[in-house]
């Protein structure tokens, strides 16, 4: 109950701040919350808006599948193999901090315009945190559990599915949460350049036509969706950690 | 003291197999060196020659860091000896835990994401045992370790002693013929340890399994064992094997027997010098 009122307070404070900023800079740079909400409702009701949502959704879905399954597989392999993990970790950390937008021209050249470039860009954003979190989660599994698995003569697939995944699950959910936000970021950035469809394109197009209302409305819809999904994952995350401790 | 109290209830003695015990597991000239021998490698164990007799309760005591746990690792197949050979039921043990060997570790090895019941059933399910049979064995084991009321609880809701009982039950349901225990009661308080020792004796009697218990508690070894192996400081070798001569039907009350004090005193006489060496105090005693 306490947490709910806190959340509400944060939302009210953010909207108030937004309103104040609107008064300072004016509608030319920032539309008011009410105005933006009206435009957002208008967008959500229009038939031309939904194909863009579908385009972004499909790219996000593919990127997430690749980032999550690729990240889990590579992360588990690196977590089990100590030496490989220790070699890979500094490389992964530097890749993680690399501004990936600098790689976008390379990706466009490699994958061409369209869905595959966006998926590739979303994936490279999301996969690295998933790998790092998974690797660390597997490494911190108590050795006695792995020894028990050997005493019970588990096969490698059994070891992964019945010990490693459940033991690492609370940490994995944390990794997926971070991975989700970054994958969405990657897909949207991908859509902002050299793209004709998607929510990222809508934002860039609105900026180009100086349609601040539309730009703000799309950003509002995106931010709300992302926050809701992230909050859902955080909720699962917290529950997992509570049960494990 | 070698009274035949248990003669009527003990299947081994009825069959006449008990008086002439066969070798169940054997270590011959086993050494374990970590790292590169001669180049800063650590000589942790051996050479050790040891024969575990079919159905006996054998304990290993030794100063801390003498390689007791390494001995268990090598015997169970969790680790490969640098030199020497290990056999279980006549077959060589090579880097894999053989079927019929169960291990209980010192650390809490329960799986926190499973209930007590599912923890105990874990190995049986992976081994593809028939569900009805799993049901039967787990229900029996849960009762045996006194956790019937906690079958649906998660390990996080249990005390350390109860979690260790879950691990014992998880080993028990697999029907091992050789049970290895690595200081399983090390983290428990004195009273709980006595009770767990009694449960272990009951388990040993009911299953007819061979048991090897590693412990740092001399009284525990003196109380529970048929035979006790005393290890030297590192690199650990077995410097003496002591027969206790207890009857098969026994429990912790044996501590009040005359022989108990004598065995404990003898263990300490053997271990005192080794423990001083292990602590870096050799020659400090008189």
């Amino acid at each position: 109950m306490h947490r709910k009122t806190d959340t509400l307070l944060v939302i009210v404070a953010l909207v108030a701040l937004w309103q104040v900023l609107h008064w300072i800079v004016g509608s030319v740079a920032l539309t008011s919350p009410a105005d933006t909400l009206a435009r957002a409702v208008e967008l959500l009701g229009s038939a031309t808006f939904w194909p863009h949502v579908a385009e972004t959704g499909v790219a996000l879905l593919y990127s997430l599948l690749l980032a999550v399954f690729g990240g889990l597989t590579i992360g588990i392999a690196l977590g089990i193999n100590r030496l490989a993990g220790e070699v890979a970790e500094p490389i992964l950390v530097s890749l993680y901090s690399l501004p990936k937008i600098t790689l976008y021209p390379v990706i466009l050249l490699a994958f061409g315009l369209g869905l595959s470039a966006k998926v590739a860009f979303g994936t490279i954003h999301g996969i690295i945190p998933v790998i790092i979190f998974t690797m660390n989660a597997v490494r911190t599994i108590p050795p006695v559990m792995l020894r028990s698995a050997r005493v019970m003569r588990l096969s490698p697939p059994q070891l992964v599915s019945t010990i490693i995944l459940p033991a690492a699950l609370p940490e994995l959910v944390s990794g997926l949460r971070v991975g989700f936000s970054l994958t969405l970021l990657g897909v949207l950035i991908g859509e902002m350049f050299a793209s004709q469809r998607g929510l990222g394109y809508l934002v860039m197009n609105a900026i180009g036509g100086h349609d601040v209302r539309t730009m703000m409305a799309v950003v509002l819809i995106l931010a709300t969706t992302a926050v809701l999904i992230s909050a859902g994952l955080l909720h699962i995350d917290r529950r997992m950690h509570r049960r494990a401790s | 003291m070698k009274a035949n109290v248990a003669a009527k209830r003990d299947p081994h003695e009825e069959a006449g197999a008990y008086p002439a015990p066969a070798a169940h597991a054997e270590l011959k000239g086993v050494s374990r060196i970590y790292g590169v021998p001669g180049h800063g490698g650590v000589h942790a164990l051996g050479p050790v020659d040891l024969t575990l007799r079919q159905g006996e309760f054998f304990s290993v005591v030794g100063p801390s860091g003498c390689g007791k746990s390494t001995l268990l690792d090598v015997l169970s197949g969790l680790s490969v000896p640098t030199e020497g050979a290990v056999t279980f039921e006549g077959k060589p043990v090579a880097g894999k835990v053989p079927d019929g060997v169960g291990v209980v570790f010192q650390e809490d090895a329960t799986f926190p994401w499973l209930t007590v019941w599912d923890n105990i059933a874990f190995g049986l399910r992976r081994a593809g045992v028939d569900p009805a049979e799993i049901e039967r064995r787990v229900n029996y084991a849960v009762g045996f370790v006194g956790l019937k009321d906690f079958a649906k609880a998660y390990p996080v809701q249990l005390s350390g002693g109860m979690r260790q009982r879950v691990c014992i039950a998880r080993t028990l349901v697999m029907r091992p013929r050789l049970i290895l225990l690595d200081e399983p009661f090390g983290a428990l308080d004195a009273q709980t340890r006595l009770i767990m020792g009694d449960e272990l004796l009951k388990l040993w009697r009911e299953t007819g399994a061979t048991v090897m218990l590693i412990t740092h508690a001399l009284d525990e070894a003196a109380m529970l064992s048929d035979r006790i192996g005393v290890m030297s400081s590192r690199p650990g070798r077995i410097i003496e094997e002591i027969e206790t001569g207890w009857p098969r039907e026994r429990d912790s009350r044996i501590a009040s027997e005359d022989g108990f004090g004598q065995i404990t005193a003898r263990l300490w006489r053997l271990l005192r010098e080794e423990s001083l060496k292990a602590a870096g105090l050799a020659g400090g005693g008189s």
Side-chain angles (χ1 to χ4, degrees):
Chain A
M1 213 51 221
H2 190 68
R3 187 170 280 161
K4 270 182 192 153
T5 48
D6 282 358
T7 314
L8 202 67
L9 273 177
V10 171
I11 293 172
V12 170
L14 280 175
V15 173
L17 185 69
W18 180 359
Q19 184 66 51
V20 170
L21 274 173
H22 163 71
W23 283 329
I24 297 170
V25 299
S27 282
V28 178
L30 193 68
T31 48
S32 73
D35 198 14
T36 308
L37 191 63
R39 176 67 181 138
V41 171
E42 198 181 299
L43 273 178
L44 289 173
S46 85
T48 50
F49 180 68
W50 288 100
H52 292 290
V53 175
E55 178 78 15
T56 303
V58 166
L60 179 64
L61 187 69
Y62 284 148
S63 307
L64 273 178
L65 283 176
L66 283 170
V68 169
F69 286 103
L72 284 180
T73 311
I74 298 170
I76 287 172
L78 291 178
I80 293 174
N81 189 331
R82 267 221 113 72
L83 180 65
E86 269 161 30
V87 172
E89 193 168 17
I91 301 173
L92 287 168
V93 171
S94 5
L95 280 177
Y96 185 49
S97 45
L98 178 85
K100 277 158 281 286
I101 190 72
T102 52
L103 293 175
Y104 201 46
V106 182
I107 285 182
L108 276 181
L109 286 175
F111 291 90
L113 302 176
L115 185 67
S116 48
K118 290 193 234 175
V119 170
F121 204 55
T123 306
I124 64 166
H125 272 83
I127 196 168
I128 294 171
V130 176
I131 294 176
I132 294 176
F133 269 87
T134 308
M135 181 173 75
N136 286 326
V138 172
R139 275 183 185 171
T140 50
I141 294 175
V144 71
M145 287 190 190
L146 303 178
R147 281 156 65 84
S148 300
R150 288 184 61 196
V151 171
M152 290 186 258
R153 288 178 296 282
L154 299 192
S155 65
Q158 281 181 328
L159 175 69
V160 170
S161 64
T162 62
I163 307 258
I164 291 180
L165 279 179
L169 197 60
E171 289 307 308
L172 293 187
V173 175
S174 307
L176 295 189
R177 202 159 56 81
V178 178
F180 165 77
S181 324
L182 287 171
T183 307
L184 178 61
L185 176 78
V187 168
L188 289 174
I189 296 176
E191 284 177 345
M192 288 186 173
F193 307 102
S195 175
Q196 298 296 314
R197 281 187 301 262
L199 297 174
Y201 160 76
L202 267 191
V203 172
M204 278 319 263
N205 195 42
I207 292 175
H210 197 65
D211 182 357
V212 181
R213 259 184 105 224
T214 305
M215 183 202 82
M216 286 297 295
V218 177
V219 169
L220 179 68
I221 291 167
L222 271 172
T224 311
T225 314
V227 165
L228 284 178
I229 295 176
S230 201
L233 287 171
L234 184 64
H235 179 70
I236 300 173
D237 194 353
R238 287 213 178 113
R239 241 186 31 203
M240 292 268 178
H241 276 93
R242 254 206 306 279
R243 214 186 68 189
S245 57
Chain B
M1 252 336 289
K2 207 151 196 161
N4 249 347
V5 208
K8 287 203 174 63
R9 284 198 50 204
D10 190 327
H12 283 97
E13 294 195 21
E14 271 172 337
Y18 197 56
H24 197 199
E26 261 188 311
L27 289 94
K28 277 196 187 132
V30 166
S31 295
R32 183 75 174 92
I33 298 166
Y34 291 103
V36 185
H39 293 82
V42 177
H43 191 170
L45 178 74
V48 169
D49 290 286
L50 176 64
T51 304
L52 295 184
R53 299 171 194 156
Q54 181 79 50
E56 79 171 329
F57 195 126
F58 187 84
S59 289
V60 178
V61 295
S64 46
C66 75
K68 298 189 289 281
S69 296
T70 307
L71 177 71
L72 178 138
D73 278 7
V74 167
L75 180 56
S76 64
L78 281 168
S79 120
V80 183
T82 314
E83 270 167 40
V86 183
T87 52
F88 171 62
E89 298 180 339
K91 287 186 220 89
V93 175
K96 233 183 105 197
V97 182
D99 181 46
V101 174
V103 183
V104 178
F105 298 101
Q106 177 176 15
E107 305 94 329
D108 172 20
T110 53
F111 301 135
W113 59 90
L114 296 176
T115 62
V116 165
W117 208 95
D118 290 329
N119 257 288
I120 299 172
F122 183 91
L124 294 172
R125 286 189 178 140
R126 302 293 92 74
V129 176
D130 174 63
E133 174 70 8
I134 294 180
E135 183 90 20
R136 213 172 54 74
R137 284 202 212 176
V138 174
N139 283 339
Y140 173 77
V142 166
F144 184 88
V145 296
L147 290 174
K148 253 204 171 71
D149 296 339
F150 294 89
K152 293 215 160 50
Y154 283 90
V156 72
Q157 297 162 280
L158 306 181
S159 69
M162 290 159 108
R163 288 188 209 184
Q164 201 53 279
R165 276 191 245 159
V166 173
C167 293
I168 290 173
R170 197 165 75 187
T171 303
L172 163 71
V173 290
M174 302 303 286
R175 304 231 168 111
R177 300 182 293 283
L178 173 62
I179 305 175
L180 308 173
L181 303 104
D182 188 0
E183 303 198 16
F185 315 138
L188 307 180
D189 63 80
Q191 292 92 314
T192 313
R193 267 177 44 198
L194 286 172
I195 292 163
M196 296 288 284
D198 284 345
E199 287 190 18
L200 184 56
L201 279 174
K202 202 170 87 182
L203 181 146
W204 166 67
R205 271 196 303 273
E206 289 194 11
T207 59
T210 308
V211 168
M212 186 178 90
L213 170 74
I214 291 187
T215 176
H216 58 255
L218 303 185
D219 55 340
E220 200 168 88
M223 202 162 68
L224 301 175
S225 322
D226 291 321
R227 221 151 51 97
I228 305 162
V230 181
M231 280 178 85
S232 67
S233 57
R234 199 175 71 200
R237 283 160 296 107
I238 302 225
I239 49 176
E240 183 121 359
E241 290 173 22
I242 298 173
E243 302 258 0
T244 60
W246 301 134
R248 193 168 168 82
E249 198 71 33
R250 59 179 180 251
D251 61 33
S252 54
R253 282 171 297 182
I254 214 150
S256 60
E257 297 280 339
D258 291 339
F260 175 77
Q262 287 166 19
I263 293 166
T264 315
R266 194 167 154 210
L267 287 174
W268 180 233
R269 250 197 327 275
L270 288 162
L271 269 177
R272 189 170 175 274
E273 193 59 28
E274 296 300 329
S275 299
L276 287 171
K277 269 193 238 166
L281 298 168
S286 53

